[in-house]
Structure formats: structure tokens, C-alpha cells
Amino acid sequence: MDATRLFSSVDIKPVIPKNRLSKVISAVTVGVDARKIEVEVNLSGGLPRYFLVGLPDRAVSESRDRIEAALKSAGVQFPRGRITVNLAPAGLPKAGSSFDLPIALGLLTASGQVASNKLTGAAVLGELALDGRLRPVKGALPVAVGLKKLGLHTLVVPRSNAPEAAVVNGVSVMGFTYLQEVLDWLEGSTVANPASVETDALLHSVNSETEIDFADVRGQESVKRALEVAAAGSHNVLLIGPPGSGKTMMARRIPSILPPMTLEEALETTKIYSVAGLLPAGSPLFSGRPYRAPHHTASGTALVGGGSIPVPGEISLAHNGVLFLDELPEFRRSVLEVLRQPLEDGSVQLSRARMSVHYPARFMLVASMNPSPSGEWIQPDEGEIGSFSSMKRYMSRISGPLLDRIDLHIEVSAVSFGELSTHRESERSAQIRERVVRARSIQIERFQKIPGLHSNSGMTIRQTKEFCSPDTQGKALLKQAMNRLGLTARAYVRILKVSRTIADLDGSTEVRSNHLAEAIQYRSLDRAGWFNPTGQNRS
């Protein structure tokens, strides 16, 4: 018998379910950039089934159970029927738990339980707890920056992420603690105010007076001067000396003399820490310069980043700050060689089968090492030929191409008893920092029309020729150094950059011969001939 005639005979009309479709905007981070994701939810009749498509990872695939428990805690129902959730574009891998809240709102709007008017022009991020709380997620700041470029005006996030995202002007950031609060806001039963932060106050909130100060370092005045030059131009430094000479002690105090970050630098650094999930609690803006000191057992992936969905490594976490590698020869050579390209380009490109991710990595490399396995300099005329050979082998663990990318090679001598026991007050970090800040302000003014360039170390070849041209005496001195030491073209360029920084510290608009002479003195390993086949061995 025909089904329509059967229903008609008893005056009952068949219920034909209509498909309901909703769309909620969300986002995913690719590197430090955000990509818009459309969370499409289709609700239709049929047996209860739940399909999640669009290349989700395991954390996204497990969202269904979290969402169902959270909806029950919020007093609403999980829709019944055939449910298809699509995360578009489908070809982009999706990772993390930030899609819980947009999927939940998509289910409620598709089933007609919640109005969706306020979701027009808005994006949603958030992980759901089983009791309906909103847990913080990674990448809120990059998402806010990306949404602003796309013209979206509102971002709904967990309350813990609201200050971080509110750093971006032009985006109304709505922070909530519970799912029920989001639903009340959508229905208009409650009024929520956008989050706001004062970026200027955050930038100046860093306490410049720390317990770690250069006043604690006795003697080593020449080394302190070299580190001042390095900090002023963000140059790479290698400290070479026996154990106990203060190499690590001075390296740890370098952040205390670095200039404060600009807003642009702070945003760049905060985006990296936000993506990595390492942004300190209660700190919406990473305003202090990073200092990273990985152990010598670190792998190449730990340094540059990686994974199936690439995450930033130590060199990116040190962006705009310091990467300190203690006991440099103890790192595996293959690990150190991965630093070559980032040191040259200021960024790292991580390529995987499904995606290629770019992370900024413009950092100040500070490394330290002993001259030999025993820790002491060994002279060839001391009758210990075997020991001298072992010292040469130990020094050669650092490849010439990597050493060529380090601007200053500084010999650190042992501190005498007289220097250790003196009561004379050493210069404090605040005094050194004043000179560094003055020199860096000159560089910022010089490069104000060049986006992304903040210090002398980041100059290109063309910019080096433009801003670092020495006087006649300086050119003659540099020519003599090139011929006698057999310096490479890269070493030549780096000497010019360092001399430009020394001139900035001197308040000079020109690079003079005395500035070049000091810069050449900081290439001690080139002068010793350890890594230069045309140079003379140390004697």
C-alpha cells in the first residue's frame, strides 16, 4: 500500500525533515599567520550519526564528547539526527582543541536553539570543558591579527585569551568564562563589554632592575666592551676561554643591557609564544626580550622547530632576543649546522608533506667554549704536541662556515686574584644599557623607512654598502687586514657592520679607521688562523 494513502486515511501528514545548515567562522594558525576556517554544520533527519570532516587531528576528532557534555551543562540539547561538520578548506590540516566552541555554536544555530545574528562578521575560538567552562587555546593573538586583515570585527574567545587578543586594535574581543555566558550574549539577555589593554603600559612594565647585573662581574673590562658592542648592534658573539673565567656569567647578563622592545618587535615575539602555547599567564604582551639557553644535548628539530604540524623551535623562541649556546663544541655538529641559514636569513622555513611553515628567527647568538678538552690554551712549543693536536681537533668541531657567521670572537682570560678581591664598584648594567639604547635609537632612525630592520646586524649587502662605507684610512686598514688574514667576503661584511655599531656608540656619522681597527680585533680566531687555511696557526 502507498505510504501517502496510508497517512491520508488517518489524517496524519508525514514529517519530512528539512536540512538545516549553519556556518561559524573560526581560524587556525599556520606558522605565525592565521587562516580563516569555516565551520559548516549540516543537520538532517535520519538515524543519529555524527561525521567530522576536513582533515581534523585527534584533538579535533575527540571534540564531540566534550561538546555534548558541555551543552548539557549549559542547559541545552545536543541535536539528534544526521550531523555533518565540515572544517573548510578541507585540504588544510586542523589541529588543537580551539574548534570546540565554534562547532558547539554551529550545532545550536543549526538546530534553532540559539540565534546567530551576532555571529555575522565574528570569529570564534575556544576549548570546552565538560562542565561548560572555556579553556584557553593557542594562537589567539595571530588569529586576531589575521581577522583584522580579513575585515572581521569581533572575536569570541575564552576570558583567559581576551587580553592577549585585545592587543590588536580594531578588533572587538569578547571574553567569556562559561558556554552559558556566550549563549546569553548571543540571545541578548546579557551585555558583555569588549576586552581592552594598554599596550604602552605593557611595554614599559618590564622591570629593568634585575638581580642579574654586570656589576657582579669583576675585571673583564675588554670583554664587557665587546658585549656592549654586540648588544648595541645585535651582533653574534663567541666567547672563548678557560673554565671559571666568567663566560656563562657574562652571557646571562646580556639581556640586562639590551634595549626595550618596540611595539612591532613585541607583537612579533608574542605571536610566536602564543602559537607555541608558552605565553606567560597574565602577560598578554611579551614585552621583555627572550633569553633561551638549550642544553647541548638538544636536537636539530628542537633548535629550528618541526613536527608533523611544525611548531617553533628555540631559534624562533629567541626571536628579537638572545640564544645562548653554552659549551658550543659539545653540541652535535649536525645540530650546529642547521643554524647557518637562519643566522643568514633571520627566518626558518619548515617544509613538510602537507604544508610549509615560516617562522621568524632573528636572534642574537651568544656562544661560549673552552679552547681545548682540558679547558686551557696549549702552546705548540710546550713540548705537548699530542695535547696541542687535541686542542686543534677540539676547536675544529666548529665549522668555518658557522664561525664566519659569528661577528665577534672574544678571548676571555682567567680573572686574577687582585681583580676578584677588589672592592672597587664595577659598572652597572643600567649604565651600559643607556649607551646601548642611544646607539640603537640611532639605528632605528637610520632604518625607519626599511620595514622589519631594527639593528645593524640585519643589514643586507646593499644596505651595508650604503651605511657602512669607511673613510680613506679605514679602507686602507681593511684592505691590509683582508690580505694578511685572508678574510672571507662574509667576514668583510660583518666587520663593516660591527664597525658601524662602534661608530654609533661613538656618536659618529662616519665609519673611521679606529672603528674598523676595533672591529677587526674582535675577529680573534681569524687572526689566529684556526679556521682560515691562508692564516697562521696560533702561537
Side-chain angles (χ1 to χ4, degrees), residues 9 146 235 363 380 425 526:
S9 62
H235 299 291
F363 55 92
E425 183 71 19
D526 288 334

Side-chain angles (χ1 to χ4, degrees), residues 6-28:
L6 175 61
F7 282 113
S8 300
S9 62
V10 292
D11 296 328
I12 298 178
K13 295 181 179 181
V15 178
I16 303 176
K18 295 182 179 179
N19 289 348
R20 292 181 177 178
L21 179 66
S22 69
K23 184 186 299 183
V24 178
I25 302 299
S26 188
V28 66

Side-chain angles (χ1 to χ4, degrees), residues 37 81 177 232 250 310 318 328 337 420 459 463 501:
I37 301 296
T177 305
M250 287 184 284
L328 189 65
E337 294 307 300
L420 287 173
M459 288 188 290
Q463 292 160 357
T501 300

Side-chain angles (χ1 to χ4, degrees), residues 352-376:
R352 297 295 181 267
R354 289 184 175 180
M355 66 171 60
S356 182
V357 174
H358 169 270
Y359 284 114
R362 190 167 296 284
F363 55 92
M364 176 181 170
L365 174 64
V366 180
S368 70
M369 61 180 290
N370 297 322
S372 67
S374 65
E376 303 295 333

Side-chain angles (χ1 to χ4, degrees), residues 27-40:
V28 66
T29 54
V30 179
V32 292
D33 300 317
R35 294 280 299 274
K36 184 176 77 169
I37 301 296
E38 294 183 354
V39 180
E40 300 173 324

